Amino acid sequence: MNHRSFLCLVFLLTVFSGLFAQESTADFIRDYTAPDFKLRRFSVTGSGNGAGTFSDNTNTHQYGFAGSLYYYQISNQKNYQGIISTALFEDFGFGMNGSQSTLGNNLLISNTLINRFYFRERWFMGVHDDSRIGQSFLNYSSDSIPDISNSGFAIRPAVSIGYGRVEWVQFARQAMDIEVLLSSCNRLSPTFSNENRTDLANRIAQVSNRRYYDTRFGIIDQLQSLDSLLSAEAMITNSDIVYFSHLQDAFLYSRFTTRLSGFRHELGVAQSVELGNQSNNVGLTTYGFYNFNYFLPQSYAVQHNFEISVIGGRRGSTFSSATDFPLWTDLQYTFGWYPTTRTYLGVTGLGGVNLDNGIGYIYGAIIDAYFWVSPKLRLAVQGRLHDGFNYRTHNFSHVAVSNPDRNLKVFDYSLRLNLTYEIF
């Protein structure tokens, strides 16, 4: 074998070994199954936003500030998966439409419950709900237009049957974050194996499940638990300050990342009861729905999320005997990139068609990015672009893909800047 052939062989072997290493990494995240855990998160967010629409007749622009409190809980067991999401949201806005200006205020309290009970390995029964109560106020600059004040309440229960399971695999990614940083400072053992990764991911899930009244002592306890495992299984070469600082950085900055893996088909019936203060009218809606989710962690840094749904049925009210039968088909695809423990960039494409007093449509794109300023403080930005006509949303976002309303033929944009502090 001549010198040139030898170099080509070495190059090909290096490339193929890198490809197989990446595949092994992807398999680990994709195939990871977390032990039983219950994860709780509570955060406060302040945001500023700007939005507008462009059409053939007029342009509008709005600016606002908002604040929110958000509680989120994940429960994961072999026979049950559940999510509780509770939020208190208030925003203040200023709008311009030609010479007309508006001032608005919205207050909303919402609670979403997602429950899936597995009676076979992948078969489940679902019991869900999305309830909310809110009040809004809108003031016009023109004296000829009266102020508008609305309050309302809605409850949207749903039952379903489905096949498939989506796993929370962020603990696998956190284990790899620790692996990557320890390797970068030459503190990772050369014998580090896939079994070590799994043990480390399971330990992260275990310590993340603990509650502490004092978060300082909680972090100390969690890091001690991780250190004891790393030392006991000889995953590290040196237990010094360099090792510990990298371990702390990897663990603290990756705690709030969410990665998912798996697929899920879900078929069910959802109902809505809505009451507003403008009349004695009670809105009554019964829809059937089908929803499909697919989550693919392609690698350590790349994530693909896809969702498509069909929903429709009967919509009526106690105020009128008239009913209609709208139908929606919507989809979303997100490409997510997690290059480090501190950063994220996501691009989402969306589209939808509905039959509701004619044919309506919407399509658009969303760009999300965030950066962790500290282990608990996150700066995020989101930009949205949409185009559509005669599209009316269905308000069942807890069981199907939901896109924003488009009553007129308009092109719209929005930009939001968020600052979030994770209390726990």
Side-chain angles (χ1 to χ4, degrees):
M1 181 182 292
N2 60 36
H3 183 67
R4 180 176 298 177
S5 298
F6 176 77
L7 290 178
C8 289
L9 177 61
V10 171
F11 173 76
L12 290 174
L13 289 174
T14 302
V15 170
F16 281 122
S17 65
L19 291 175
F20 284 123
Q22 290 178 3
E23 182 64 26
S24 176
T25 296
D27 288 345
F28 173 68
I29 299 179
R30 183 168 57 243
D31 299 335
Y32 175 75
T33 301
D36 292 354
F37 70 88
K38 183 176 290 184
L39 198 62
R40 302 174 180 89
R41 296 288 182 247
F42 184 48
S43 63
V44 56
T45 297
S47 63
N49 63 83
T53 62
F54 299 94
S55 66
D56 296 335
N57 300 321
T58 183
N59 300 331
T60 66
H61 304 280
Q62 301 91 33
Y63 311 93
F65 299 93
S68 63
L69 291 172
Y70 186 62
Y71 175 77
Y72 189 76
Q73 177 179 299
I74 301 171
S75 298
N76 183 73
Q77 301 170 18
K78 181 180 179 180
N79 299 322
Y80 172 74
Q81 288 185 323
I83 296 174
I84 299 174
S85 175
T86 303
L88 170 64
F89 177 83
E90 183 165 18
D91 73 342
F92 301 89
F94 172 77
M96 290 292 297
N97 185 353
S99 60
Q100 178 74 14
S101 64
T102 58
L103 287 173
N105 169 244
N106 294 288
L107 176 65
L108 176 67
I109 301 173
S110 67
N111 185 68
T112 301
L113 303 174
I114 303 295
N115 300 282
R116 295 186 176 95
F117 302 91
Y118 284 83
F119 56 90
R120 282 185 163 181
E121 183 179 1
R122 290 186 177 272
W123 288 94
F124 65 87
M125 295 289 295
V127 180
H128 316 308
D129 179 58
D130 178 56
S131 299
R132 53 191 61 207
I133 183 170
Q135 185 173 29
S136 63
F137 177 78
L138 189 63
N139 172 262
Y140 290 88
S141 60
S142 174
D143 294 335
S144 62
I145 303 177
D147 297 340
I148 299 176
S149 179
N150 286 311
S151 60
F153 170 78
I155 180 170
R156 302 184 180 101
V159 294
S160 65
I161 188 170
Y163 178 79
R165 185 175 175 113
V166 175
E167 299 288 350
W168 285 278
V169 296
Q170 61 262 30
F171 305 119
R173 163 63 194 247
Q174 285 181 272
M176 295 188 65
D177 289 331
I178 293 174
E179 177 188 354
V180 168
L181 285 189
L182 293 184
S183 178
S184 70
C185 65
N186 298 317
R187 295 301 186 271
L188 188 71
S189 170
T191 63
F192 188 86
S193 65
N194 201 59
E195 290 74 18
N196 293 139
R197 275 199 202 107
T198 302
D199 291 343
L200 184 56
N202 290 342
R203 180 61 61 89
I204 293 171
Q206 177 186 348
V207 300
S208 299
N209 195 33
R210 298 174 184 172
R211 291 292 307 275
Y212 303 93
Y213 292 106
D214 191 321
T215 56
R216 299 171 303 161
F217 294 124
I219 290 173
I220 293 172
D221 181 69
Q222 290 171 329
L223 290 172
Q224 284 179 336
S225 181
L226 295 177
D227 174 65
S228 66
L229 176 69
L230 289 163
S231 301
E233 296 194 9
M235 301 185 205
I236 55 175
T237 58
N238 193 348
S239 182
D240 58 3
I241 187 63
V242 175
Y243 147 76
F244 187 78
S245 61
H246 283 74
L247 171 64
Q248 177 178 259
D249 185 78
F251 176 68
L252 294 183
Y253 277 95
S254 63
R255 288 183 300 161
F256 301 104
T257 298
T258 298
R259 297 286 293 270
L260 299 169
S261 179
F263 71 91
R264 183 171 56 234
H265 299 272
E266 191 164 12
L267 181 69
V269 177
Q271 193 164 47
S272 174
V273 179
E274 302 182 23
L275 176 65
N277 71 332
Q278 293 299 306
S279 67
N280 294 322
N281 183 29
V282 178
L284 301 172
T285 298
T286 302
Y287 289 160
F289 68 89
Y290 166 75
N291 193 63
F292 173 72
N293 299 94
Y294 183 60
F295 300 93
L296 175 64
Q298 180 181 337
S299 66
Y300 168 80
V302 175
Q303 176 82 27
H304 303 278
N305 300 337
F306 176 76
E307 183 176 11
I308 186 171
S309 65
V310 179
I311 184 170
R314 179 187 181 278
R315 183 176 60 209
S317 70
T318 59
F319 184 75
S320 172
S321 59
T323 59
D324 51 8
F325 298 88
L327 179 68
W328 290 262
T329 299
D330 297 276
L331 61 86
Q332 290 187 3
Y333 163 75
T334 299
F335 173 86
W337 185 44
Y338 302 81
T340 70
T341 57
R342 297 190 180 199
T343 51
Y344 167 76
L345 177 65
V347 180
T348 299
L350 60 89
V353 177
N354 78 308
L355 298 175
D356 187 6
N357 296 320
I359 298 177
Y361 68 89
I362 188 172
Y363 62 90
I366 306 170
I367 298 178
D368 290 288
Y370 67 65
F371 174 76
W372 287 97
V373 181
S374 74
K376 288 198 169 189
L377 188 64
R378 180 180 65 193
L379 180 65
V381 61
Q382 181 187 83
R384 304 176 68 108
L385 295 172
H386 302 105
D387 190 16
F389 173 69
N390 197 34
Y391 180 92
R392 181 177 178 182
T393 190
H394 53 68
N395 293 324
F396 285 85
S397 59
H398 59 306
V399 295
V401 183
S402 179
N403 288 312
D405 280 321
R406 282 298 166 270
N407 294 327
L408 303 174
K409 172 60 177 170
V410 294
F411 175 82
D412 74 274
Y413 73 91
S414 67
L415 182 65
R416 179 181 295 271
L417 186 67
N418 294 336
L419 193 61
T420 299
Y421 182 78
E422 300 284 352
I423 299 173
F424 60 80

